[in-house]
């Protein structure tokens, strides 16, 4: 018998404030047309001044609990993927644990920037499969608006804030690809490329810092590495492109999303896209896209979903699951 980590519920939360591309035209030498044509982004959400990453995460977590028909104490663990935690410590995850009123289990953060949700899913899966936990809430939550250099038109128009959460539960499977739950994982990083996407500050340097990106360089790595990691994960799960119902990619750039799907051999109509509405929300982008797709009736139980993401590090990876 094989233990599988099966999705039991999902939810998301977006801050109220919607920021259209046109808002940047007043302060930067940019245009709605440039932003749409180079990235596919039309708008993004920004957190209110007093709204933190763990606030967004807690809202999304409550919605995932409702969708699953569970209460917080049904969970054994909470993992939050974020690069923008409220404080240096404690983790955003323990803040969510407190916010949910969860009196048991354990909670911690995972930091793999835009690939964070994929890394957190892999970590949750390992803990479920090894018997350490039965029910794990996996959250991606970010307030990237807090690390934008508003004078840098090459980055500040691309990112947004938000959170998505899903609950994984241990269920018995047969060990073959017809099982529901996570079927395979592939994780990678290459620190030689740490300087093409980074924040130029941190605790050790006594500054907060701003996001810095050599966009063209990141782009150059993205399609190739994303298609390769997705293929590796699909091979491990013995899933072919024809069997993939939905690709749910990290939402950084529509051209990367479409280029990767093409290389994977999955037609465009089976690719979930939310980048136009959310911008790049880093670790939150995949759970946001999954949750939106479920709420729109796109992703159905039993369907095969491939998620893939790349970000600072570089760190990248993919997860194949049957919903
Ligand atoms: O989430 C983590 C992973 N991140 C990514 O995957 C992001 C990867 N990179 C990208 O998505 C794209 O590289 C960008 C959207 C960031 C940029 O698109 P691009 O097609 O690579 O444009 P570029 O950087 O080559 O810039 C083209 C031109 C430049 O002008 P020159 O040098 O050709 O005169 C830029 O200065 O566009 C200029 N530019 C802008 N113009 C208007 C850069 N930003 C802007 C802007 N508005 N906001």
């Amino acid at each position: 018998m094989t233990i599988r980590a099966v999705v039991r519920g999902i939810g998301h939360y977006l801050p109220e404030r919607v920021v259209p591309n046109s808002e940047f035209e007043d302060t930067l030498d940019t245009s709605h047309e440039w932003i749409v044509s180079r990235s596919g982004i039309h708008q993004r959400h920004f957190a209110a001044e007093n709204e933190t990453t763990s606030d967004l995460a807690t809202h999304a977590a409550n919605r995932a609990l409702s969708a699953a028909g569970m209460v917080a104490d049904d969970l054994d663990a909470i993992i939050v993927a974020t690069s923008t935690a409220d404080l240096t410590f404690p983790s955003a995850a323990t803040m969510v644990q407190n916010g949910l009123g969860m009196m048991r289990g354990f909670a911690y953060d995972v930091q793999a920037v835009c690939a964070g949700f994929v890394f957190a899913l892999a970590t949750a899966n390992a803990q479920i499969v090894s018997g350490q936990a039965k029910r794990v809430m996996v959250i991606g939550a970010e307030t990237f608006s807090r690390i934008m250099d508003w004078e840098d038109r090459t980055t500040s128009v691309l990112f947004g804030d938000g959170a998505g959460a899903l609950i994984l539960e241990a269920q018995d499977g047969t060990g073959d690809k017809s099982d529901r739950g996570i079927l395979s994982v592939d994780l990678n990083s290459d620190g030689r490329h740490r300087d093409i996407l980074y924040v130029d500050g941190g605790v050790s340097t006594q500054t907060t810092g701003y996001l810095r990106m050599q966009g063209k360089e990141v782009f150059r790595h993205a399609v190739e590495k994303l298609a390769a990691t997705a293929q590796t994960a699909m091979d491990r799960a013995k899933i072919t492109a024809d069997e993939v119902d939905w690709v749910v990619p990290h939402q950084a750039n529509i051209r990367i999303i479409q280029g990767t799907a093409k290389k994977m051999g999955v037609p465009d109509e089976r690719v979930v896209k939310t980048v136009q509405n959310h911008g790049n929300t880093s670790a939150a982008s995949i759970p946001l896209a999954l949750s939106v797709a479920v709420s729109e009736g796109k992703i159905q139980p039993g369907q095969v979903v491939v998620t893939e993401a790349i970000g600072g590090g570089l760190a990248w990876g993919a997860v194949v699951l049957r919903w």
Side-chain angles (χ1 to χ4, degrees), residues 41-188:
I41 298 165
H42 288 243
Q43 60 170 51
R44 73 288 292 139
H45 293 245
F46 283 164
E49 220 168 283
N50 59 353
E51 214 173 18
T52 64
T53 292
S54 72
D55 292 334
L56 310 188
T58 305
H59 286 306
N62 270 317
R63 289 175 182 177
L65 283 170
S66 301
M70 292 182 192
V71 295
D73 278 341
D74 291 333
L75 302 172
D76 297 319
I78 298 173
I79 305 175
V80 176
T82 189
S83 305
T84 48
D86 309 16
L87 302 174
T88 301
F89 71 79
S91 64
T94 53
M95 298 210 176
V96 174
Q97 185 185 27
N98 181 57
L100 294 177
M102 180 178 162
M103 310 287 273
R104 58 183 298 279
F106 57 96
Y108 60 96
D109 290 356
V110 162
Q111 208 269 51
V113 203
C114 296
F117 191 75
V118 167
F119 278 63
L121 272 186
T123 307
N125 182 52
Q127 285 179 326
I128 286 173
V129 168
S130 67
Q132 268 186 307
K134 279 199 159 43
R135 287 169 170 175
V136 182
M137 170 92 77
V138 188
I139 305 173
E142 303 277 18
T143 46
F144 261 49
S145 62
R146 304 284 150 76
I147 49 168
M148 289 298 112
D149 174 353
W150 299 115
E151 290 177 6
D152 179 3
R153 67 175 182 169
T154 70
T155 54
S156 60
V157 302
L158 301 174
F159 292 87
D161 302 336
L166 66 73
I167 297 168
L168 292 171
E169 183 179 58
Q171 288 186 12
D172 293 338
T174 60
D176 70 31
K177 66 180 182 181
S178 66
D179 287 347
R180 288 187 64 200
I182 293 182
L183 300 176
S184 67
V185 167
D186 182 58
L187 303 180
N188 311 268

Side-chain angles (χ1 to χ4, degrees), residues 29-31 34-35 38-39 114 153-154 157-159 197 213 215-216 218-219 222 250 252-253 255-256 280 310-311:
D29 180 15
T30 191
S31 64
W34 188 95
I35 299 169
R38 304 319 295 160
S39 72
C114 296
R153 67 175 182 169
T154 70
V157 302
L158 301 174
F159 292 87
L197 176 48
M213 177 166 73
K216 240 188 175 38
V218 177
F219 197 110
H250 170 46
N253 186 312
R255 294 182 293 141
I256 294 174
N280 182 347
I310 187 166

Side-chain angles (χ1 to χ4, degrees), residues 191-304:
R192 287 174 300 175
H193 305 302
R194 69 200 175 282
D195 58 353
I196 61 173
L197 176 48
Y198 66 104
V199 172
D200 61 358
V203 185
S204 223
T205 54
Q206 306 258 317
T207 55
T208 307
Y210 295 116
L211 182 145
R212 305 296 178 199
M213 177 166 73
Q214 294 174 39
K216 240 188 175 38
E217 272 301 293
V218 177
F219 197 110
R220 207 172 56 77
H221 287 281
V223 172
E224 197 188 313
K225 286 184 164 54
L226 288 171
T229 187
Q231 192 57 55
T232 301
M234 285 159 61
D235 290 346
R236 280 185 192 144
K238 299 189 172 55
I239 291 284
T240 63
D242 290 346
E243 295 171 293
V244 174
D245 293 295
W246 297 104
V247 176
V248 184
H250 170 46
Q251 308 283 322
N253 186 312
I254 194 72
R255 294 182 293 141
I256 294 174
I257 291 170
Q258 290 178 326
T260 303
K262 195 168 173 202
K263 240 182 150 73
M264 289 168 64
V266 177
D268 192 54
E269 61 271 18
R270 285 195 259 139
V271 181
V272 173
K273 302 173 200 99
T274 50
V275 67
Q276 65 282 5
N277 295 326
H278 303 164
N280 182 347
T281 57
S282 187
S285 91
I286 288 177
L288 272 168
L290 284 169
S291 181
V292 168
V294 168
S295 70
E296 289 174 348
K298 285 181 176 162
I299 299 176
Q300 295 289 334
Q303 289 190 324
V304 173

